[in-house]
Amino acid sequence: MNNSFHENRSVGLLLTFIGGMMDSYTYIRYEAFASAQTGNLILAIIQAYERQWNMVGKKLLSTLFFFVGILLAKFMIDYFRKKELHFWRLFLLYFEAVVFFVISLRFLDPYPAIVTIMIAFTASIQWVSFDKINGLAYTNLFTTGNLKGVATNLYDYLSTKDQAAKTRFVHFLLVVLAFIAGAIVSVFFYRLIGTKALWIISGLFLLMALSETFLVWQFQRNVFRLEKK
């Protein structure tokens, strides 16, 4: 294992799956997007014209906290790089597991703005902190850029037979399919169990965090044994 566990394909695809779940859940439940801030801003403009001010405020706050989350993520990347702490993203996965469990609880039901803010803030940190799979850029919260990657690399491969373009095409295709699968699963379970669908997101974050923690522990133990020799 190397220091870039966050670039593992399994981690990236699972985060993209969760990204699809988050976006579909927040729109169904709160008529706002967790991460697609373009959609939030357009909806806010439409609803402002219709004087639905409570809906406008919720979306603008979501966008604001998404912005703040990006700034915080950039700060953390620089800070931990300087400190040479390589596995700080593990704590982010645990943090997300806790956040999504908390917002699944009923006491937050009367405060949809708070829930959408928490999701947007957490999602933006995830987006910036996990931005590559095996060195290839991707987006785990929305899929427009990934879809562009599918189309452009498919064209490049068909026209040139370049194997690197084929690799990128498969990479982006898997990411798009993961996002779509997450959205489908989210809609299905929301219709089936309501807000408890968030337990699935929380559980996936926790499972990912625990599995990666185990791999990091194995890696550190092996390094320690080698140093003793």
Side-chain angles (χ1 to χ4, degrees), residues 50-134:
E50 297 172 350
R51 294 179 176 157
Q52 298 175 353
W53 302 117
N54 61 324
M55 301 296 290
V56 173
K58 181 169 59 178
K59 290 174 178 61
L60 293 181
L61 284 172
S62 176
T63 301
L64 173 62
F65 276 83
F66 191 84
F67 180 82
V68 172
I70 292 171
L71 294 178
L72 178 60
K74 290 293 291 181
F75 168 78
M76 289 193 299
I77 290 171
D78 285 344
Y79 177 81
F80 289 114
R81 183 185 293 126
K82 291 174 183 176
K83 295 291 184 180
E84 296 185 352
L85 298 173
H86 303 293
F87 302 115
W88 61 271
R89 290 173 177 84
L90 279 175
F91 297 99
L92 175 57
L93 297 178
Y94 285 110
F95 171 73
E96 291 190 275
V98 171
V99 167
F100 279 92
F101 176 74
V102 169
I103 63 179
S104 72
L105 303 177
R106 300 298 299 271
F107 77 93
L108 284 176
D109 283 353
Y111 311 104
I114 294 176
V115 174
T116 54
I117 286 170
M118 292 173 66
I119 294 176
F121 178 73
T122 306
S124 65
I125 297 175
Q126 171 187 309
W127 178 41
V128 178
S129 302
F130 297 86
D131 61 350
K132 289 184 176 65
I133 295 177
N134 296 334

Side-chain angles (χ1 to χ4, degrees), residues 5-223:
F5 86 92
H6 60 284
E7 292 192 17
N8 290 347
R9 185 174 300 280
S10 58
V11 172
L13 293 180
L14 187 52
L15 286 173
T16 307
F17 178 88
I18 292 171
M21 290 194 70
M22 286 193 290
D23 252 356
S24 57
Y25 176 89
T26 52
Y27 187 78
I28 293 171
R29 178 72 176 170
Y30 303 110
E31 295 184 2
F33 292 104
S35 53
Q37 300 307 320
T38 302
N40 279 339
L41 290 173
I42 290 173
L43 289 172
I45 292 168
I46 294 170
Q47 289 163 349
Y49 182 79
E50 297 172 350
R51 294 179 176 157
Q52 298 175 353
W53 302 117
N54 61 324
M55 301 296 290
V56 173
K58 181 169 59 178
K59 290 174 178 61
L60 293 181
L61 284 172
S62 176
T63 301
L64 173 62
F65 276 83
F66 191 84
F67 180 82
V68 172
I70 292 171
L71 294 178
L72 178 60
K74 290 293 291 181
F75 168 78
M76 289 193 299
I77 290 171
D78 285 344
Y79 177 81
F80 289 114
R81 183 185 293 126
K82 291 174 183 176
K83 295 291 184 180
E84 296 185 352
L85 298 173
H86 303 293
F87 302 115
W88 61 271
R89 290 173 177 84
L90 279 175
F91 297 99
L92 175 57
L93 297 178
Y94 285 110
F95 171 73
E96 291 190 275
V98 171
V99 167
F100 279 92
F101 176 74
V102 169
I103 63 179
S104 72
L105 303 177
R106 300 298 299 271
F107 77 93
L108 284 176
D109 283 353
Y111 311 104
I114 294 176
V115 174
T116 54
I117 286 170
M118 292 173 66
I119 294 176
F121 178 73
T122 306
S124 65
I125 297 175
Q126 171 187 309
W127 178 41
V128 178
S129 302
F130 297 86
D131 61 350
K132 289 184 176 65
I133 295 177
N134 296 334
L136 295 174
Y138 80 114
T139 300
N140 55 48
L141 292 184
F142 27 82
T143 203
T144 304
N146 298 325
L147 192 59
K148 176 187 175 184
V150 172
T152 56
N153 286 289
L154 175 60
Y155 177 85
D156 290 344
Y157 173 66
L158 293 176
S159 60
T160 66
K161 303 303 179 184
D162 179 23
Q163 291 302 308
K166 180 181 179 181
T167 298
R168 293 191 298 269
F169 162 70
V170 173
H171 159 74
F172 284 112
L173 179 62
L174 290 174
V175 172
V176 170
L177 292 176
F179 186 87
I180 294 171
I184 293 171
V185 168
S186 179
V187 173
F188 173 79
F189 278 101
Y190 181 78
R191 300 302 184 194
L192 187 67
I193 58 177
T195 57
K196 293 185 178 67
L198 289 175
W199 292 357
I200 299 173
I201 297 176
S202 178
L204 289 173
F205 276 125
L206 182 60
L207 178 64
M208 190 168 18
L210 290 172
S211 63
E212 294 302 325
T213 299
F214 177 72
L215 292 176
V216 169
W217 174 76
Q218 280 189 320
F219 172 75
Q220 298 284 26
R221 185 182 62 173
N222 292 336
V223 169

